Amino acid sequence: MATVRAAITQVAWTGERESMVARHEELAREAAADGVRVIGFQELFTSPYVGAVQDQRYYRGAEPIPGPTVERFQRLAEQLGLVMILPIHEVAAQGEYYNAAAVVDADGSLLGRYRKHHIPQLPSFWEKFYFRPGNLGYPVFDTAVGRVGVYICYDRHFPEGWRELGLGGAQLVFNPSAAKPGLSNRLWEIEQPAAAAANQYFVAANNRIGQETGEFGGDAPRFYGSSYFVDPRGNVVGEVASDDKEELVIRDLDLDEITRARDDWQFYRDRRPETYQRTALG
């Protein structure tokens, strides 16, 4: 396997969908020009973080997969030869909405989607008002850069899904998020490295930045960026991004490190699924 150059974004909400789409097109082109072969956008990248409030008008921002935004980036992916992870507010049928991510291969083909399984319902994170729990399992996609999985934001607190992705053969898992200061800060620092080390793959963790007060006023949470990549031993690759600036985070990932880490630790050999009765039964 070769080293893969990968990127993630952390971008502030501009106040308008089209400019967000255009900004991410610009970042994709910038990344491709720097040799990036796979890029993951932030959670709900075309919209404000709707979970800040409970308002039916934000249902109107949902779109199908495939749909206008995904098809637009499919064309760009083919043009740039770039694998893309596109997290959007998905409408699957009338009144049926998901927090989802489309996965597009470097030839522009739509490989499928992941739907967020674990849906929070907390102050400033009223997601059960908007989204059904995911129902497509934990797919791992064969892409031009290797086997890619997706786990979205609140999902990261649940180790079972991380392991499902590992058992599915994931080499790189994207975790687009919208996290605010407070209880989440320490978990943001430790959860993705712990998941990467326990499951021995790379994790790309990106967080939104800024406070969307123009959209939600005082109800808007402030997102703290701090996006990063982590390797299969739980080490952060390069520097953690800033907590208050837009960034395109680019890192080189040596996928051979997955085999080296697994040979050293042998967690997949030594796991005992037949003994995990409470996990199996819920």
Side-chain angles (χ1 to χ4, degrees):
M1 297 177 185
T3 296
V4 171
R5 179 161 287 190
I8 46 178
T9 64
Q10 57 176 51
V11 176
W13 168 240
T14 62
E16 193 266 327
R17 171 185 295 266
E18 176 56 33
S19 59
M20 285 296 283
V21 171
R23 176 65 176 137
H24 283 81
E25 284 183 327
E26 175 187 339
L27 290 170
R29 293 183 186 279
E30 181 181 335
D34 197 15
V36 167
R37 298 185 60 208
V38 57
I39 188 169
F41 296 160
Q42 63 201 32
E43 185 179 15
L44 302 171
F45 84 95
T46 66
S47 70
Y49 175 70
V50 296
V53 297
Q54 299 180 87
D55 189 331
Q56 287 188 17
R57 70 189 176 100
Y58 289 109
Y59 294 155
R60 306 288 78 81
E63 59 182 287
I65 298 173
T69 297
V70 171
E71 290 170 357
R72 181 168 170 173
F73 280 92
Q74 284 182 261
R75 293 189 290 272
L76 184 62
E78 181 180 18
Q79 178 186 342
L80 299 177
L82 192 59
V83 177
M84 294 185 175
I85 289 76
L86 309 170
I88 67 170
H89 189 170
E90 178 195 10
V91 57
Q94 288 183 311
E96 183 182 350
Y97 307 108
Y98 298 93
N99 189 335
V103 178
V104 174
D105 211 354
D107 63 0
S109 59
L110 176 61
L111 297 179
R113 79 205 75 181
Y114 170 74
R115 289 172 174 164
K116 183 175 180 177
H117 280 82
H118 307 93
I119 310 299
Q121 187 72 357
L122 304 163
S124 300
F125 296 89
W126 305 113
E127 290 197 23
K128 282 186 168 66
F129 184 83
Y130 296 99
F131 309 123
R132 292 183 59 179
N135 54 9
L136 298 177
Y138 299 89
V140 175
F141 303 95
D142 284 308
T143 78
V145 298
R147 294 181 58 79
V148 170
V150 184
Y151 213 36
I152 298 176
C153 196
Y154 193 67
D155 280 334
R156 71 179 180 271
H157 304 314
F158 301 88
E160 295 87 353
W162 290 114
R163 177 50 56 87
E164 289 282 331
L165 290 163
L167 293 173
Q171 297 168 294
L172 171 58
V173 176
F174 286 86
N175 181 225
S177 296
K180 71 170 186 175
L183 292 175
S184 83
N185 284 83
R186 180 58 178 153
L187 296 183
W188 181 257
E189 295 172 352
I190 65 174
E191 278 180 325
Q192 290 94 322
N199 297 287
Q200 296 168 331
Y201 47 53
F202 286 90
V203 173
N206 55 331
N207 187 20
R208 299 170 74 105
I209 60 162
Q211 189 170 15
E212 298 165 3
T213 51
E215 192 76 33
F216 304 116
D219 291 321
R222 181 180 70 81
F223 304 115
Y224 56 78
S226 305
S227 303
Y228 62 88
F229 285 89
V230 61
D231 73 15
R233 299 180 189 272
N235 301 307
V236 175
V237 181
E239 299 297 320
V240 175
S242 67
D243 64 3
D244 62 352
K245 296 181 179 64
E246 291 193 350
E247 288 195 42
L248 176 65
V249 182
I250 298 175
R251 300 289 183 265
D252 290 322
L253 311 179
D254 177 7
L255 298 187
D256 286 333
E257 183 60 19
I258 297 170
T259 299
R260 291 191 289 267
R262 291 187 179 188
D263 285 350
D264 285 344
W265 287 104
Q266 290 296 345
F267 293 156
Y268 287 87
R269 179 195 66 194
D270 297 336
R271 58 187 295 272
R272 295 287 309 283
E274 75 278 7
T275 69
Y276 308 146
Q277 298 300 312
R278 293 188 179 182
T279 301
L281 296 175

